[in-house]
């Protein structure tokens, strides 16, 4: 019994450590590019257990819309998390949307395979919600801070 647990754990850790994490992210970005959403990534680091991107520019329909300071992707097969830090709109969009995303986290687990949890901390408050993968519905609740009220 112990030998089976050690073998299963070894296979799992090997998959997590040697999974091509950066290529997995670029495949997702390629899918987004079909919807005219592109990213310019200045620096990408592939570590053993996560992949980290620094200084990213988000582009929609050939317009630079936001700067993202840091993106970290943790693919653990049964638990996956994407964290964005320091998302600021470009100067051209500040008049329409003067909100800075301090921290945004998207979490997906196999325990709840049809939902992804979303938690966002912004300069106007906190946004919590979920994305229902099966029905493609997004549900978000904004809890404004004192500054926004």
């Amino acid at each position: 019994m112990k030998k089976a647990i050690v073998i299963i754990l070894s296979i799992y850790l090997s998959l997590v450590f040697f999974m091509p994490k950066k290529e997995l992210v670029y495949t997702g970005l390629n899918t987004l590019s079909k919807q005219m959403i592109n990213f310019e990534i200045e620096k990408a680091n592939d570590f053993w257990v996560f992949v980290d991107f620094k200084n990213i520019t988000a582009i929609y329909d050939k317009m630079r819309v936001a700067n993202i300071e840091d993106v970290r992707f943790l693919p653990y097969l049964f638990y996956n998390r994407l964290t964005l830090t320091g998302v600021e709109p470009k100067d051209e969009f500040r008049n329409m949307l003067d909100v800075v995303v301090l921290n945004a986290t998207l979490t997906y687990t196999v325990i709840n395979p049809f939902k992804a949890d979303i938690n966002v901390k912004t300069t106007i408050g906190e946004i919590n919600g979920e994305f229902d993968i099966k029905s493609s519905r997004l549900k978000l609740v904004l809890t404004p801070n004192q500054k926004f009220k």
Side-chain angles (χ1 to χ4, degrees), residues 6 8 18 28-29 31 35 50 72 85 91 109 128 144:
V6 168
I8 291 171
F18 299 115
L29 293 178
T31 303
Q35 302 296 321
F50 64 89
R72 181 168 285 182
T85 308
D91 292 336
T109 64
N128 294 305

Side-chain angles (χ1 to χ4, degrees), residues 90-148:
K90 287 288 204 179
D91 292 336
E92 303 87 43
F93 297 98
R94 284 215 190 249
N95 293 336
M96 292 185 296
L97 185 66
D98 192 19
V99 176
V100 175
V101 175
L102 305 172
N103 189 355
T105 305
L106 177 71
T107 307
Y108 173 78
T109 64
V110 294
I111 295 170
N112 198 354
F114 297 114
K115 294 197 190 291
D117 293 324
I118 301 167
N119 298 308
V120 182
K121 290 184 175 88
T122 70
T123 54
I124 62 169
E126 194 168 318
I127 301 169
N128 294 305
E130 62 186 25
F131 179 70
D132 189 337
I133 298 168
K134 199 172 191 181
S135 65
S136 294
R137 289 187 180 220
L138 178 65
K139 178 183 173 186
L140 298 174
V141 176
L142 170 65
T143 308
N145 59 17
Q146 294 298 327
K147 180 182 172 185
F148 187 64

Side-chain angles (χ1 to χ4, degrees), residues 3 5-6 10 38 40 46 49 51 62 68 77 80 83 105 113 118 132:
K3 190 174 185 179
I5 292 173
V6 168
S10 298
N38 295 297
E40 287 180 356
D46 191 355
V49 292
V51 62
K62 298 181 182 174
I68 307 168
L77 299 178
N80 302 298
T83 304
T105 305
I118 301 167
D132 189 337

Side-chain angles (χ1 to χ4, degrees), residues 51-53 56 68-74 79-87 102-107 119:
V51 62
D52 198 34
F53 298 96
I56 302 157
I68 307 168
E69 185 179 306
D70 184 52
V71 174
R72 181 168 285 182
F73 177 56
L74 294 101
Y79 175 85
N80 302 298
R81 185 172 67 197
L82 180 70
T83 304
L84 289 82
T85 308
V87 181
L102 305 172
N103 189 355
T105 305
L106 177 71
T107 307
N119 298 308

Side-chain angles (χ1 to χ4, degrees), residues 30-43:
N30 189 29
T31 303
L32 286 174
S33 70
K34 294 175 185 171
Q35 302 296 321
M36 297 189 327
I37 301 170
N38 295 297
F39 298 91
E40 287 180 356
I41 301 169
E42 188 174 302
K43 187 175 180 185

